[in-house]
Amino acid sequence: SAHRLAATAAALALLAAAPPAAAQSELLFLAEDVPAGLNYDGPAAAIPTSQTGMVNVMEPLIGYASAGPNEEGVILPDFSEFEGRLAESWSFDPETLTWTFNLRRGVIGCGGAEFTADDVLYTFARAKSVSGAAPIGWFLSNVGSVANFTPAVFGDEAARALGDEVVKVDDYTVQIRQAEPNALFLPVLTIFGLYMFDKEGMEAEATADDPWSHEFANNRGVASFGPYCVESWTKDDEIVFTANPN
Protein backbone atom coordinates (compact mmCIF):
# COMPACT_ATOMS: atom_id res chain seq x y z
CA SER A 1 0.00 0.00 0.00
CA ALA A 2 1.00 3.63 -0.45
CA HIS A 3 1.66 5.82 2.58
CA ARG A 4 1.88 9.55 3.15
CA LEU A 5 3.14 11.24 6.31
CA ALA A 6 2.50 14.95 6.79
CA ALA A 7 3.68 17.07 9.71
CA THR A 8 2.31 20.52 10.40
CA ALA A 9 2.84 22.97 13.23
CA ALA A 10 -0.39 21.64 14.72
CA ALA A 11 -0.20 17.93 13.99
CA LEU A 12 1.42 15.02 12.21
CA ALA A 13 -0.80 13.09 9.82
CA LEU A 14 -0.19 9.52 8.74
CA LEU A 15 -2.25 8.59 5.72
CA ALA A 16 -2.17 4.91 4.81
CA ALA A 17 -3.86 4.21 1.49
CA ALA A 18 -4.86 0.57 1.26
CA PRO A 19 -5.78 -1.11 -2.05
CA PRO A 20 -7.82 1.22 -4.29
CA ALA A 21 -11.21 -0.10 -3.22
CA ALA A 22 -10.54 0.42 0.48
CA ALA A 23 -11.11 3.64 2.40
CA GLN A 24 -8.17 5.70 3.59
CA SER A 25 -7.37 5.92 7.29
CA GLU A 26 -5.85 8.93 9.00
CA LEU A 27 -3.97 9.13 12.29
CA LEU A 28 -3.37 12.55 13.85
CA PHE A 29 -1.12 13.30 16.82
CA LEU A 30 0.11 16.58 18.25
CA ALA A 31 3.58 17.93 17.57
CA GLU A 32 5.32 21.11 18.68
CA ASP A 33 6.37 22.04 15.16
CA VAL A 34 7.62 20.69 11.86
CA PRO A 35 11.34 19.82 11.59
CA ALA A 36 13.58 22.88 11.55
CA GLY A 37 16.28 20.89 9.74
CA LEU A 38 17.13 17.39 8.52
CA ASN A 39 20.89 17.74 8.92
CA TYR A 40 22.20 16.08 12.07
CA ASP A 41 25.39 18.12 11.73
CA GLY A 42 23.35 21.29 11.30
CA PRO A 43 22.17 24.10 13.59
CA ALA A 44 18.72 22.55 14.20
CA ALA A 45 19.95 19.07 15.09
CA ALA A 46 19.20 19.36 18.81
CA ILE A 47 15.54 20.23 18.24
CA PRO A 48 13.33 17.19 18.94
CA THR A 49 11.05 17.86 15.97
CA SER A 50 14.08 17.86 13.67
CA GLN A 51 15.13 14.51 15.09
CA THR A 52 11.60 13.20 14.50
CA GLY A 53 11.99 14.16 10.85
CA MET A 54 15.41 12.54 10.57
CA VAL A 55 14.31 9.17 11.90
CA ASN A 56 11.46 9.10 9.39
CA VAL A 57 13.66 9.73 6.35
CA MET A 58 16.98 8.15 7.38
CA GLU A 59 18.12 4.74 8.60
CA PRO A 60 21.00 3.48 10.80
CA LEU A 61 23.32 0.54 10.31
CA ILE A 62 21.88 -1.11 13.42
CA GLY A 63 19.09 -0.47 15.89
CA TYR A 64 17.64 -1.90 19.07
CA ALA A 65 15.31 -4.86 19.06
CA SER A 66 11.76 -4.39 20.31
CA ALA A 67 10.92 -5.19 23.93
CA GLY A 68 7.22 -5.24 23.11
CA PRO A 69 4.48 -3.05 24.60
CA ASN A 70 4.58 -1.86 28.21
CA GLU A 71 1.56 -1.55 30.51
CA GLU A 72 0.34 1.50 28.59
CA GLY A 73 0.70 -0.28 25.26
CA VAL A 74 3.78 1.70 24.21
CA ILE A 75 6.29 -0.38 22.27
CA LEU A 76 9.72 0.17 23.80
CA PRO A 77 13.21 -0.80 22.62
CA ASP A 78 15.20 -3.56 24.26
CA PHE A 79 18.44 -1.78 25.08
CA SER A 80 20.22 -5.08 25.68
CA GLU A 81 19.74 -6.45 22.16
CA PHE A 82 20.79 -5.04 18.79
CA GLU A 83 19.29 -5.90 15.42
CA GLY A 84 20.34 -5.17 11.87
CA ARG A 85 18.91 -2.29 9.89
CA LEU A 86 21.04 -1.29 6.91
CA ALA A 87 23.65 -3.76 8.15
CA GLU A 88 22.53 -7.37 8.01
CA SER A 89 25.19 -8.75 10.35
CA TRP A 90 28.45 -7.75 12.01
CA SER A 91 31.43 -9.21 13.84
CA PHE A 92 34.32 -7.95 15.96
CA ASP A 93 38.01 -8.86 15.93
CA PRO A 94 39.39 -8.02 19.43
CA GLU A 95 43.00 -8.30 18.25
CA THR A 96 42.70 -5.53 15.66
CA LEU A 97 39.72 -3.75 17.28
CA THR A 98 37.98 -3.99 13.91
CA TRP A 99 34.25 -4.33 13.29
CA THR A 100 33.12 -5.91 10.04
CA PHE A 101 29.62 -5.02 8.80
CA ASN A 102 27.85 -7.01 6.12
CA LEU A 103 25.43 -4.62 4.45
CA ARG A 104 21.89 -5.42 3.40
CA ARG A 105 21.60 -5.82 -0.35
CA GLY A 106 18.89 -4.37 -2.54
CA VAL A 107 18.14 -1.34 -0.34
CA ILE A 108 17.06 1.52 -2.62
CA GLY A 109 16.91 5.13 -1.46
CA CYS A 110 14.44 7.85 -2.37
CA GLY A 111 16.60 8.91 -5.31
CA GLY A 112 16.78 5.41 -6.75
CA ALA A 113 20.38 4.62 -5.75
CA GLU A 114 21.30 1.35 -4.04
CA PHE A 115 22.83 1.40 -0.57
CA THR A 116 26.47 0.24 -0.67
CA ALA A 117 29.72 0.59 1.23
CA ASP A 118 30.35 3.91 -0.53
CA ASP A 119 27.45 5.44 1.39
CA VAL A 120 28.94 4.31 4.71
CA LEU A 121 32.30 5.81 3.81
CA TYR A 122 30.62 9.05 2.73
CA THR A 123 28.70 9.25 6.00
CA PHE A 124 31.82 8.88 8.15
CA ALA A 125 33.86 11.16 5.89
CA ARG A 126 31.19 13.85 6.22
CA ALA A 127 31.19 13.41 9.99
CA LYS A 128 34.98 13.66 10.18
CA SER A 129 34.98 16.81 8.05
CA VAL A 130 33.37 18.70 11.00
CA SER A 131 32.04 21.05 8.35
CA GLY A 132 28.58 21.53 9.86
CA ALA A 133 27.37 23.89 12.54
CA ALA A 134 27.08 21.04 15.08
CA PRO A 135 29.49 18.14 14.41
CA ILE A 136 27.31 15.45 16.00
CA GLY A 137 28.50 12.71 13.62
CA TRP A 138 32.09 13.35 14.68
CA PHE A 139 31.08 13.52 18.34
CA LEU A 140 29.31 10.16 18.33
CA SER A 141 32.19 8.56 16.44
CA ASN A 142 34.55 9.95 19.07
CA VAL A 143 32.33 8.67 21.90
CA GLY A 144 32.45 5.21 20.30
CA SER A 145 36.26 5.40 19.96
CA VAL A 146 36.34 5.19 16.16
CA ALA A 147 40.04 5.55 15.38
CA ASN A 148 41.26 9.01 14.34
CA PHE A 149 38.01 10.74 15.26
CA THR A 150 39.88 12.89 17.77
CA PRO A 151 39.81 16.61 18.63
CA ALA A 152 42.77 17.01 16.27
CA VAL A 153 40.28 17.50 13.43
CA PHE A 154 39.41 20.95 14.76
CA GLY A 155 42.95 22.26 14.47
CA ASP A 156 44.40 20.34 11.55
CA GLU A 157 42.61 20.26 8.21
CA ALA A 158 44.64 17.22 7.10
CA ALA A 159 43.31 15.28 10.11
CA ARG A 160 39.76 15.66 8.78
CA ALA A 161 40.33 13.31 5.84
CA LEU A 162 38.93 9.80 6.28
CA GLY A 163 41.71 7.22 6.42
CA ASP A 164 41.96 3.51 7.08
CA GLU A 165 39.69 3.71 10.13
CA VAL A 166 36.68 3.08 7.85
CA VAL A 167 37.45 0.81 4.91
CA LYS A 168 35.43 -0.58 2.01
CA VAL A 169 36.16 -4.29 1.60
CA ASP A 170 33.67 -4.69 -1.23
CA ASP A 171 30.35 -3.12 -2.22
CA TYR A 172 28.54 -4.80 0.68
CA THR A 173 31.23 -5.07 3.34
CA VAL A 174 32.72 -2.30 5.49
CA GLN A 175 35.27 -2.42 8.30
CA ILE A 176 35.46 0.17 11.08
CA ARG A 177 38.44 0.23 13.43
CA GLN A 178 38.42 1.50 17.01
CA ALA A 179 41.30 3.20 18.76
CA GLU A 180 40.54 1.31 21.96
CA PRO A 181 37.94 -1.14 23.25
CA ASN A 182 34.73 0.72 23.96
CA ALA A 183 31.32 -0.83 24.61
CA LEU A 184 29.62 2.38 23.46
CA PHE A 185 30.49 1.71 19.81
CA LEU A 186 27.34 -0.22 18.91
CA PRO A 187 25.01 2.06 20.91
CA VAL A 188 26.22 5.21 19.14
CA LEU A 189 25.43 3.63 15.77
CA THR A 190 21.75 3.51 16.75
CA ILE A 191 21.58 7.28 17.38
CA PHE A 192 20.20 9.64 14.71
CA GLY A 193 23.57 11.40 14.42
CA LEU A 194 25.15 8.43 12.64
CA TYR A 195 22.29 7.51 10.31
CA MET A 196 23.43 6.79 6.77
CA PHE A 197 23.41 9.30 3.92
CA ASP A 198 22.92 8.49 0.25
CA LYS A 199 26.27 9.57 -1.18
CA GLU A 200 24.96 9.94 -4.71
CA GLY A 201 21.95 12.01 -3.68
CA MET A 202 23.89 14.24 -1.30
CA GLU A 203 26.69 14.91 -3.77
CA ALA A 204 24.12 15.94 -6.37
CA GLU A 205 23.26 18.87 -4.07
CA ALA A 206 26.86 19.85 -3.31
CA THR A 207 28.49 23.11 -4.37
CA ALA A 208 32.06 24.36 -4.32
CA ASP A 209 31.30 26.38 -1.18
CA ASP A 210 29.26 23.59 0.42
CA PRO A 211 30.80 20.24 -0.63
CA TRP A 212 28.91 18.29 2.06
CA SER A 213 25.47 19.66 1.12
CA HIS A 214 24.65 21.23 4.48
CA GLU A 215 22.39 23.86 2.92
CA PHE A 216 20.31 21.15 1.28
CA ALA A 217 19.85 19.13 4.47
CA ASN A 218 19.31 22.24 6.58
CA ASN A 219 16.55 23.63 4.37
CA ARG A 220 15.32 21.46 1.51
CA GLY A 221 15.57 17.73 2.23
CA VAL A 222 18.00 14.88 2.72
CA ALA A 223 19.15 11.92 0.64
CA SER A 224 19.03 8.65 2.52
CA PHE A 225 17.49 5.19 2.71
CA GLY A 226 14.69 5.57 5.25
CA PRO A 227 11.04 4.48 5.06
CA TYR A 228 9.85 7.92 3.94
CA CYS A 229 10.94 10.52 1.40
CA VAL A 230 10.52 14.29 1.62
CA GLU A 231 7.77 15.36 -0.79
CA SER A 232 7.56 19.00 0.29
CA TRP A 233 8.83 21.12 3.16
CA THR A 234 7.81 24.63 4.21
CA LYS A 235 9.61 25.80 7.32
CA ASP A 236 7.34 26.56 10.31
CA ASP A 237 4.34 25.34 8.32
CA GLU A 238 4.30 21.82 6.91
CA ILE A 239 6.48 18.91 5.87
CA VAL A 240 5.08 16.03 3.84
CA PHE A 241 6.72 12.61 3.61
CA THR A 242 5.70 9.92 1.14
CA ALA A 243 6.56 6.26 1.47
CA ASN A 244 9.83 5.14 -0.06
CA PRO A 245 8.45 3.14 -3.01
CA ASN A 246 11.25 0.61 -2.60
Side-chain angles (χ1 to χ4, degrees):
S1 63
H3 298 76
R4 186 170 180 268
L5 178 64
T8 71
L12 291 171
L14 176 62
L15 305 178
Q24 288 188 340
S25 61
E26 180 174 315
L27 175 65
L28 299 176
F29 57 98
L30 295 179
E32 294 179 354
D33 204 345
V34 301
L38 294 173
N39 180 16
Y40 57 69
D41 286 329
I47 301 173
T49 51
S50 295
Q51 296 170 19
T52 298
M54 293 173 205
V55 300
N56 273 291
V57 297
M58 304 185 76
E59 194 77 1
L61 286 175
I62 64 171
Y64 289 110
S66 172
N70 63 10
E71 295 178 354
E72 288 76 34
V74 178
I75 297 176
L76 299 175
D78 179 353
F79 293 110
S80 67
E81 183 178 353
F82 299 97
E83 64 180 12
R85 298 292 175 82
L86 290 176
E88 200 164 43
S89 61
W90 55 93
S91 59
F92 179 62
D93 181 351
E95 292 189 5
T96 61
L97 301 180
T98 299
W99 294 84
T100 299
F101 290 88
N102 301 304
L103 307 182
R104 196 173 301 281
R105 299 174 184 237
V107 176
I108 307 299
C110 293
E114 183 184 12
F115 174 66
T116 68
D118 291 332
D119 301 301
V120 181
L121 267 64
Y122 173 89
T123 296
F124 279 94
R126 188 181 193 269
K128 197 178 181 186
S129 74
V130 294
S131 53
I136 294 177
W138 169 86
F139 172 74
L140 291 175
S141 300
N142 174 270
V143 169
S145 294
V146 176
N148 301 325
F149 277 73
T150 69
V153 300
F154 295 100
D156 181 359
E157 186 173 350
R160 300 172 196 166
L162 192 68
D164 62 0
E165 63 270 21
V166 184
V167 175
K168 172 183 176 179
V169 178
D170 57 43
D171 283 346
Y172 303 102
T173 312
V174 171
Q175 291 185 330
I176 302 176
R177 180 170 53 84
Q178 289 181 285
E180 59 187 2
N182 187 339
L184 292 176
F185 176 72
L186 291 181
V188 299
L189 291 180
T190 72
I191 299 173
F192 73 94
L194 278 177
Y195 279 24
M196 295 292 111
F197 288 101
D198 171 0
K199 176 180 185 289
E200 182 177 305
M202 293 297 286
E203 289 185 340
E205 301 290 340
T207 65
D209 293 332
D210 182 20
W212 297 103
S213 305
H214 289 288
E215 187 279 330
F216 170 58
N218 286 334
N219 299 298
R220 295 185 287 115
V222 68
S224 187
F225 302 92
Y228 289 96
C229 308
V230 178
E231 180 181 278
S232 62
W233 183 14
T234 303
K235 291 290 188 75
D236 301 318
D237 184 18
E238 180 184 64
I239 190 165
V240 177
F241 303 127
T242 55
N244 183 337
N246 303 291

